[in-house]
């Protein structure tokens, strides 16, 4: 047989075998997807231990461990308003074994405030909305003002003396601060942290005048004990637990009247069957009465729903934030 004929025969054999090989690969992939999960799952929480997001993630991980039959291991990676944790997720293998729990701020705020760590539209996949949390604006014992208007008056009279602590640069609290400062024409000093845990501890020792934080059991206890003064809340309406505290919308700051939305995310490229299974399992957990009672008792609201709806919500909020940030000329220093 000539070399030409030999090459032709081999080429034909390879072409003939290709569909079978592709079919076997597809079958293997389908089996792997159907077997998910077959080992522990890492859930990267974008904030330090101790905050409301960490508490919710651990409760969720405990329930998912039972329903999925594999351990869900919590790993805290704080910083950059949640972007560092999600960046860890983006850089992981897209096999469904590394997921992220974060607010949507790294996807809706960070891209408009500088050079983001990843492409919010291409590199990460929203899996399911988990909850939204009201944002409380609190005064520490160092603040002499007794109300939100008095706090602003104090800031106007003493530019820069009122220090406002947030969960970090490009966090929702930071944007709220900048919106309020811009609209009220006041100078407020920003004190960024890497999450809510240390921020609360320093607030209790009155190392600054004001802080913004998500509602949670510990926060409510400190308010009731008189260690914090509730000045305002970012929420659709006043909280049942704090009926005397006005929303920022009531106070005239509609754009700053926002809540923190949290969800689960995966790196781009995770197989659709895995994402669908994860969405379904999380929705089942969120529907458990004990989960709802646990969160709603602290004014946090569990959400759930379809991944597509969560993605649309993120896209809409990102567009709205882009407009607000541009109008208020907000920049990261």
């Amino acid at each position: 047989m000539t070399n030409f004929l030999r090459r032709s025969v081999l080429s034909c054999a390879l072409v003939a075998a290709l569909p079978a090989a592709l079919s076997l690969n597809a079958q293997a992939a389908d089996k792997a997807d159907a077997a998910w999960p077959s080992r522990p799952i890492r859930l990267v929480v974008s904030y330090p231990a101790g905050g409301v997001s960490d508490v919710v993630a651990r409760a969720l991980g405990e329930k998912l461990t039972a329903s999925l039959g594999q351990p869900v291991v919590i790993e805290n990676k704080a910083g950059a308003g949640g972007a560092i944790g999600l960046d860890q997720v983006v850089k992981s293998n897209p096999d469904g074994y590394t997921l992220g729990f974060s607010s949507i701020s790294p996807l809706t705020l960070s891209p408009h405030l500088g050079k983001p760590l990843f492409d919010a539209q291409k590199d990460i996949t929203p899996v399911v909305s988990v909850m939204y949390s009201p944002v409380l604006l609190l005064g520490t014992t160092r603040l002499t003002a007794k109300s939100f208007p008095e706090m602003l008056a104090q800031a106007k009279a003493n530019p820069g003396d009122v220090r406002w602590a947030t969960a970090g640069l490009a966090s929702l609290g930071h944007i709220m601060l900048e919106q309020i400062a811009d609209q009220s024409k006041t100078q407020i000093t920003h004190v960024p942290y890497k999450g809510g845990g240390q921020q609360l501890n320093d607030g209790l020792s009155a190392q600054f005048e004001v802080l913004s934080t998500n509602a949670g059991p510990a926060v409510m206890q400190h308010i009731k004990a008189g260690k914090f003064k509730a000045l305002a809340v970012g929420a659709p309406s006043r909280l049942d637990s704090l009926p005397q505290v006005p929303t920022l919308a009531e106070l005239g700051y509609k754009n700053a009247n926002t809540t923190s939305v949290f969800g689960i995310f995966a790196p781009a490229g995770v197989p659709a069957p895995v994402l669908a299974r994860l969405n379904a399992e999380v929705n089942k957990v969120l529907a458990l009465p004990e989960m709802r009672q646990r969160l709603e008792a602290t004014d946090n609201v569990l959400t759930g729903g379809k991944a597509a709806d969560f993605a649309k919500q993120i896209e809409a909020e990102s567009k709205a934030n882009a407009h607000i940030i541009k109008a208020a000329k907000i920049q990261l220093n």
Side-chain angles (χ1 to χ4, degrees):
M1 183 182 292
T2 66
N3 289 335
F4 174 77
L5 288 175
R6 186 179 294 110
R7 287 196 299 269
S8 298
V9 170
L10 288 173
S11 297
C12 290
L14 288 172
V15 170
L18 185 58
L22 292 174
S23 178
L24 288 173
N25 288 337
Q27 290 176 18
D30 289 342
K31 288 181 180 179
D33 295 347
W36 182 92
S38 59
R39 63 178 189 270
I41 298 167
R42 182 170 64 129
L43 181 60
V44 180
V45 180
S46 294
Y47 309 96
V52 64
S53 59
D54 179 65
V55 172
V56 174
R58 290 179 186 278
L60 192 62
E62 180 182 339
K63 297 295 184 181
L64 286 174
T65 294
S67 65
L68 293 173
Q70 291 290 339
V72 176
V73 181
I74 304 298
E75 182 178 329
N76 297 90
K77 289 285 185 181
I84 289 178
L86 286 186
D87 187 51
Q88 291 282 317
V89 176
V90 165
K91 292 176 179 177
S92 67
N93 290 329
D95 53 13
Y97 290 96
T98 299
L99 306 167
F101 183 86
S102 174
S103 76
I104 65 174
S105 295
L107 308 181
T108 65
L109 290 174
S110 299
H112 310 300
L113 289 167
K115 188 176 180 180
L117 295 175
F118 53 86
D119 190 319
Q121 295 182 334
K122 296 179 180 179
D123 296 339
I124 200 154
T125 303
V127 178
V128 61
S129 174
V130 171
M131 72 173 191
Y132 75 78
S133 179
V135 180
L136 290 166
L137 180 59
L138 307 175
T140 70
T141 55
R142 183 179 286 272
L143 181 71
T144 57
K146 296 180 180 180
S147 67
F148 181 84
E150 286 186 16
M151 182 272 290
L152 288 183
Q154 184 176 329
K156 284 185 179 181
N158 304 282
D161 282 2
V162 173
R163 294 165 295 175
W164 179 332
T166 73
L169 293 170
S171 66
L172 184 61
H174 180 201
I175 300 306
M176 293 170 70
L177 181 162
E178 297 291 355
Q179 290 170 326
I180 290 169
D182 179 71
Q183 185 177 332
S184 62
K185 308 302 179 187
T186 56
Q187 183 180 335
I188 301 173
T189 300
H190 182 212
V191 183
Y193 279 77
K194 291 185 177 181
Q198 189 60 46
Q199 176 197 19
L200 281 180
N201 289 336
D202 288 354
L204 290 171
S205 59
Q207 296 189 30
F208 42 77
E209 288 72 26
V210 177
L211 71 151
S212 51
T213 186
N214 295 115
V219 174
M220 292 301 181
Q221 289 175 6
H222 295 320
I223 293 172
K224 291 178 180 178
K227 296 178 181 179
F228 290 135
K229 290 175 282 190
L231 305 174
V233 60
S237 60
R238 294 193 182 198
L239 306 183
D240 291 340
S241 59
L242 297 170
Q244 76 282 8
V245 180
T247 67
L248 285 166
E250 289 180 76
L251 292 165
Y253 294 86
K254 182 179 179 181
N255 286 338
N257 188 57
T258 53
T259 61
S260 293
V261 178
F262 292 84
I264 289 181
F265 301 88
V270 172
V274 173
L275 294 175
R277 170 88 187 279
L278 182 60
N279 178 277
E281 293 293 343
V282 172
N283 274 299
K284 288 179 184 177
V285 170
L286 295 179
L288 295 173
E290 59 264 36
M291 285 292 291
R292 292 198 171 273
Q293 291 169 5
R294 187 171 181 177
L295 271 317
E296 291 177 0
T298 58
D299 296 299
N300 292 287
V301 180
L302 295 177
T303 50
K306 298 178 180 179
D309 292 337
F310 188 31
K312 289 178 182 178
Q313 180 185 12
I314 292 171
E315 182 181 5
E317 187 158 327
S318 180
K319 290 180 179 178
N321 285 338
H323 176 75
I324 291 169
I325 289 167
K326 183 177 180 180
K329 299 179 181 178
I330 299 171
Q331 295 181 341
L332 294 182
N333 296 324

